[in-house]
Amino acid sequence: DAKTTQPNSMESNEEEPVHLPCNHSTISGTDYIHWYRQLPSQGPEYVIHGLTSNVNNRMASLAIAEDRKSSTLILHRATLRDAAVYYCILRGRTQGGSEKLVFGKGTKLTVNP
Amino acid sequence: GAGVSQSPSNKVTEKGKDVELRCDPISGHTALYWYRQRLGQGLEFLIYFQGNSAPDKSGLPSDRFSAERTGESVSTLTIQRTQQEDSAVYLCASSTAGTEGSYEQFFGPGTRLTV
């Protein structure tokens, strides 16, 4: 499975934008880039995903490099509720052709009031 | 509608005992996944069910681990002869799934297992 590299931690101030980077230099042409986040003591929740073009939804924006070897999750105005571990994941397949998610350690985002 | 539910939320057991964890996926979701998360770590994939196909068991760490799913509904993860290293949060997720890699997974709150 192609792997992703993220900083261990980042810090932001409330109501400021946050840019969370992810490197995935070994991405294959059919891999989707997914972002999930995990709030303390909860299961992960989906944030956003994309393939080649930049994507926007109510939670965040995803900027994908032209060569697809890196991407950036953008939170436009961080709130205290955005404090979580953010996982950048390539949607891979096992040998059986299934849709498992391969999680790294993610980036722990701290939001300061 | 209801999300993914798991039971029990917490389970404390003794080394060597068997445990059974339950997952109720979102109605209509054909795919179901089990993951394990050790303290301070990321998630490890365990097993994947898709419809009536044979499950993908490639992530199960040993033959003490097994899982079943009845049709497209409830799944149970069984750990036999539990060991201390089995202590973790066990997370279940479901999705509408497909083969394109674009479907999101919806996670349950997890079962915290302490051996």
Side-chain angles (χ1 to χ4, degrees):
Chain A
D1 288 307
K3 296 190 176 170
T4 63
T5 304
Q6 299 176 255
N8 290 333
S9 63
M10 289 187 67
E11 209 167 314
S12 174
N13 295 320
E14 204 174 3
E15 300 200 0
E16 289 185 356
V18 181
H19 290 232
L20 298 165
C22 180
N23 287 320
H24 29 78
S25 58
T26 58
I27 190 171
S28 74
T30 55
D31 282 339
Y32 282 78
I33 302 159
H34 284 244
W35 283 82
Y36 282 73
R37 71 179 185 181
Q38 188 171 23
L39 279 65
S41 300
Q42 295 187 27
E45 65 173 344
Y46 167 83
V47 177
I48 200 167
H49 79 272
L51 184 61
T52 56
S53 303
N54 295 343
V55 184
N56 299 296
N57 67 19
R58 63 176 179 81
M59 289 180 72
S61 295
L62 177 61
I64 301 172
E66 196 169 330
D67 63 5
R68 299 206 331 125
K69 294 186 176 182
S70 65
S71 61
T72 303
L73 179 70
I74 303 166
L75 307 179
H76 295 286
R77 289 182 66 208
T79 70
L80 296 178
R81 289 190 300 269
D82 291 323
V85 178
Y86 286 78
Y87 296 98
C88 168
I89 299 162
L90 299 183
R91 196 68 185 265
R93 291 172 178 268
T94 67
Q95 291 180 346
S98 64
E99 296 286 324
K100 72 175 184 179
L101 295 176
V102 179
F103 286 80
K105 293 193 175 178
T107 297
K108 183 175 182 178
L109 176 66
T110 301
V111 180
N112 301 314
Chain B
V4 177
S5 61
Q6 294 185 245
S7 61
S9 55
N10 281 285
K11 176 73 176 178
V12 179
T13 190
E14 294 178 352
K15 181 179 172 181
K17 301 275 189 184
D18 297 352
V19 296
E20 195 171 276
L21 312 179
R22 177 188 169 108
C23 171
D24 283 86
I26 293 172
S27 178
H29 280 189
T30 58
L32 186 147
Y33 314 76
W34 283 97
Y35 295 87
R36 175 173 72 178
Q37 186 171 33
R38 291 195 167 112
L39 187 64
Q41 303 295 313
L43 277 72
E44 302 171 66
F45 166 77
L46 296 177
I47 189 169
Y48 161 69
F49 295 90
Q50 168 56 35
N52 295 319
S53 302
D56 177 353
K57 305 178 181 180
S58 60
L60 294 179
S62 77
D63 58 9
R64 295 187 295 106
F65 287 71
S66 63
E68 293 185 351
R69 187 181 186 193
T70 308
E72 293 184 353
S73 60
V74 172
S75 175
T76 54
L77 176 69
T78 302
I79 308 173
Q80 295 178 311
R81 306 181 303 280
T82 52
Q83 304 294 313
Q84 269 191 306
E85 62 262 28
D86 299 333
S87 295
V89 175
Y90 289 82
L91 289 151
C92 175
S94 71
S95 79
T96 53
T99 56
E100 297 289 327
S102 64
Y103 296 91
E104 67 178 278
Q105 294 184 10
F106 295 84
F107 283 82
T111 294
R112 181 175 298 279
L113 175 66
T114 304
V115 181

